[in-house]
Amino acid sequence: MNIVVCIKQVPDTMDVRIDPKTNTLVRDGVPSIINPFDEFALEEGLRLRERFGGKITAITMGPPQATEVLRTALAMGVDAVALLSDRAFAGADTLATSYALSQGVKKVGDVDLVITGKQAIDGDTAQVGPGIAARLGFTQLTYVSKVEGAENGTITVERLLDGGRERVEARLPAVLTVVKGINVPRQPSILKMKKARNAEIPVWTAADIGADPAKTGQNGSPTWVDRIFSPDQKSGGEVYRGEPDEMAGRLSELLLEMMAK
Ligand code: FAD
């Protein structure tokens, strides 16, 4: 099975700060890590290779320092990596990001499966995986909590839903977005980490992946951040305590009063 895993470098902080002028994340002075969901994606790729054979390529789109996450992927055991990096990718929204990544997948060639995390802990949109699937015309399987099997051009997975789990059989090629807990990501050995630290990381530019300049970076981003602000703190309000029936009654009275206004 020919697998591509998309991994993203994210700030290692809960205190995400935004540059008020550019409306982009302040990354200076903030340590970076691999997006935690992407460690599950990498581990799942490695387990599928162990079960069905094949090759795994990890790709990331980002500035030169994003090579760090590719070194983590190499230390975990992927076969190949590529950094998609070019000024033309700067300022990408999720549409332009998924376009560039899908072009990267095309460059890898003959891919059966793309695995992404459910979401990135900074952008948090969960749009990139589905975006890649749409661009490539691959089957889209989101919130995957288990891969049961893959044979004869199909894959069987379990998806995590709000009220339960869903078992789905789908045609390959496919894009999976995986949830936390699908596996326990392996810890690479010191030796493998040292080897990965010295590895040469291939860099793919927009031209290398045959990207249309109108679809990358800011040019290819129909959405932009207009303003970022913290919502006003709510003040006042009333707290009702008591038996559930009593509170439900009071709540319905209040709703009826509001509707009557
Ligand atoms: P999600 O969709 O939540 O990520 C899901 C999965 O997709 C991840 O687990 C990972 O597997 C994969 N993935 C996501 N991003 C990457 C990546 N780069 N490489 C490899 N795999 C990846 N950022 C800027 O720097 N400048 C901007 O001007 C800018 N403008 C934006 C405007 C808008 C309206 C929005 C919504 C976002 C903007 N961003 C900008 C952020 C940028 O779009 C996101 O960093 C990027 O598109 C990924 O989206 P996400 O973080 O929501 O990923």
Side-chain angles (χ1 to χ4, degrees), residues 6-9 22-24 27 35 37-38 41 59-62 90-95 97-98 101 115-129 132 218 223-225:
C6 297
I7 57 179
K8 184 183 183 192
Q9 191 179 48
T22 60
N23 279 328
T24 54
R27 294 181 192 271
N35 179 41
F37 288 102
D38 302 350
I59 62 173
T60 189
M61 185 190 90
D93 69 2
T94 56
L95 196 74
T97 302
S98 51
L101 292 171
I115 313 179
T116 75
K118 173 179 75 108
Q119 69 197 82
I121 60 164
D122 55 351
D124 240 356
T125 65
Q127 291 173 358
V128 171
I132 297 170
Q218 234 152 19
T223 54
W224 65 90
V225 180

Side-chain angles (χ1 to χ4, degrees), residues 143 159-166:
Y143 300 98
R159 297 184 61 232
L160 202 58
L161 306 180
D162 271 349
R165 286 164 198 270
E166 179 184 59

Side-chain angles (χ1 to χ4, degrees), residues 154-198:
T154 62
I155 186 161
T156 309
V157 303
E158 190 180 82
R159 297 184 61 232
L160 202 58
L161 306 180
D162 271 349
R165 286 164 198 270
E166 179 184 59
R167 189 166 175 271
V168 185
E169 190 179 315
R171 232 183 264 288
L172 291 171
V175 174
L176 312 186
T177 81
V178 301
V179 297
K180 180 180 167 187
I182 184 172
N183 52 47
V184 179
R186 67 196 66 190
Q187 279 298 324
S189 67
I190 306 262
L191 200 68
K192 284 183 177 160
M193 280 177 2
K194 264 190 176 166
K195 209 172 150 207
R197 203 169 299 148
N198 299 320

Side-chain angles (χ1 to χ4, degrees), residues 14 16 21 38 40 85 109 142 149 170 179 190-191 204 231 251 253 260:
M14 296 301 282
V16 174
K21 283 200 188 120
D38 302 350
F40 295 108
S85 199
T142 51
V179 297
I190 306 262
L191 200 68
W204 292 351
L251 186 63
E253 273 169 27

